[in-house]
Every structure is written in structure tokens, then in C-alpha cells.
Amino acid sequence: MPVRLSRLLPLFLLVFATVFAQPAPAAPTAYTGSAPVNSQNDDERAAALKTALANVVIEQTGDAGILARADVAKAVAQADRYVLQYSYRGSDGARTLVAQFDSEAVDAMLARLGLRDAAQAAAPANATTEASVWIGGVRNADDWLRVAGYLARNNFVRSSRPLEARGDAVLMRLTLASDVPHFLDAVAAERTLAVESRDSVSGDADARLVLTQ
């Protein structure tokens, strides 16, 4: 007879504290950009990363024509210098590359180009968001270690701790280096966890995720 997660939670918390007790260096914050692609070949990926970074620059500056400047276009052409990670979403015929770019490096680039005040560019590095999310599909200790490991590696998560267990779900308190929507976009792109709901869940969480099997 399977043991309910709520009865195993103390064990999971002990494992969590033992495995992830060492403080991790603060992960770089990130901007998310995307671009449509037809395939995953190297040339198309390089072009898509430039488009994704261009979209980030336009979003951050609020100027859709900013790429007409030669110095901005040259900086965007070096998108591989700023990318933290990327993944593909969708299937053949409707595929999108989703990339996370180091926001501190992008902000510094914008400041060099005169598009952002240097003091303003440095400010977001210390900004954090507190969020609570339910993560379902956690049926055993192996599933829990997958969840804990993913959160420890995620560039948007500065810290995480479990608060409560209900059935096969765990309520997690997260300190994010971004806002909740950008964190959820990254989660959806990486596919370790699926986003079931972006809305408040039972008034005690900002979203509901589920571990993919």
C-alpha cells in the first residue's frame, strides 16, 4: 500500500536539508526572449538567439526602432555572450526557441550604449520576489529529489523551502530573481515541471506546477 507524501514529508525535509544545506552562489537574474525556428540546427539557433536578444532589447528600451542603430545591432549580433540557457518549445512547424539572457550583462551593455543609466542598470541585481507554488506529482523520495534538484539549479530561484504537503503535492516558498511570470515562462520552456495554473491556487499560492514523468 503506497505511503502518502504527507507522511513522508519529515523524511523529505531531512533529505532536503542534508543534500542542499550548502549555500549556493546567487544565480544571475535573467531576461527571457523568444524567436520562431524551423529546426534545431546550429546556424538557425544562432540567428534565433540574436532575434530573441533583439526582442529583449526592444522590451527593455521601449523603442521598436532601436535596432536601426549600428552599434545596437552589432551588440545584439553577439547574443551568445549573454545567453544563460535556451530550450525549444512546440513541435515541427510551430517551434520556438526560448532563451534566458544574463540581465546584469544585458543591462551593462545597454548602459554602454547610452540606453540605460549605469545606476539603474545595477539596481535589478538585488531585486527579489517572494512566491509560493504548489508542485504536484511528487509520489516518492526520488520525485522529491528531482524537484529539489531542479529548484537548486534554476537560474531564477535564489532559495526554496517546503512549507506543507497535501497528497502528492508540496507547497514551496521560493525567493525568485525575477517576477513570477518570467519564472513560469522559464519553467514551461525547460519542461521538468509543467505549469498547470498561473492563477492563485486556493488563496495560498501564486501558481500550481506538476512534475513531469
Side-chain angles (χ1 to χ4, degrees), residues 126-186:
N126 297 320
T128 59
T129 301
E130 295 294 320
S132 296
V133 298
W134 280 103
I135 302 179
V138 186
R139 301 166 303 177
N140 51 48
D142 288 340
D143 288 345
W144 169 247
L145 288 176
R146 284 184 61 201
V147 169
Y150 172 78
L151 294 176
R153 294 189 305 271
N154 189 288
N155 286 321
F156 289 87
V157 179
R158 290 190 173 178
S159 66
S160 64
R161 60 187 176 92
L163 299 177
E164 181 183 347
R166 296 180 191 170
D168 69 347
V170 178
L171 180 63
M172 300 293 299
R173 184 67 173 174
L174 307 178
T175 300
L176 303 176
S178 73
D179 57 21
V180 174
H182 281 91
F183 166 67
L184 295 178
D185 286 344

Side-chain angles (χ1 to χ4, degrees), residues 8-213:
L8 291 176
L9 182 59
L11 173 60
F12 291 167
L13 297 185
L14 177 61
V15 172
F16 185 88
T18 301
V19 176
F20 299 99
Q22 296 300 319
T29 57
Y31 292 133
T32 300
S34 63
V37 292
N38 294 314
S39 70
Q40 298 183 27
N41 69 55
D42 292 345
D43 290 340
E44 188 164 6
R45 180 175 64 251
L49 286 173
K50 295 174 187 177
T51 300
L53 180 57
N55 290 333
V56 167
V57 170
I58 291 171
E59 180 181 359
Q60 292 301 310
T61 61
D63 185 353
I66 195 64
L67 295 177
R69 281 180 43 175
D71 55 347
V72 177
K74 181 179 179 180
V76 168
Q78 299 172 327
D80 57 331
R81 293 186 178 183
Y82 304 96
V83 68
L84 294 171
Q85 58 188 4
Y86 65 86
S87 60
Y88 293 92
R89 182 186 300 172
S91 56
D92 291 342
R95 184 174 293 167
T96 301
L97 178 143
V98 180
Q100 282 82 50
F101 299 96
D102 185 331
S103 64
E104 294 182 48
V106 172
D107 285 341
M109 177 260 286
L110 295 177
R112 287 195 304 271
L113 296 170
L115 301 175
R116 176 164 297 181
D117 179 81
Q120 179 188 2
N126 297 320
T128 59
T129 301
E130 295 294 320
S132 296
V133 298
W134 280 103
I135 302 179
V138 186
R139 301 166 303 177
N140 51 48
D142 288 340
D143 288 345
W144 169 247
L145 288 176
R146 284 184 61 201
V147 169
Y150 172 78
L151 294 176
R153 294 189 305 271
N154 189 288
N155 286 321
F156 289 87
V157 179
R158 290 190 173 178
S159 66
S160 64
R161 60 187 176 92
L163 299 177
E164 181 183 347
R166 296 180 191 170
D168 69 347
V170 178
L171 180 63
M172 300 293 299
R173 184 67 173 174
L174 307 178
T175 300
L176 303 176
S178 73
D179 57 21
V180 174
H182 281 91
F183 166 67
L184 295 178
D185 286 344
V187 168
E190 292 165 353
R191 300 184 182 179
T192 299
L193 303 173
V195 180
E196 284 197 337
S197 174
R198 292 173 177 260
D199 301 320
S200 178
V201 182
S202 303
D204 58 3
D206 298 290
R208 182 179 178 88
L209 312 176
V210 62
L211 180 66
T212 59
Q213 302 302 326

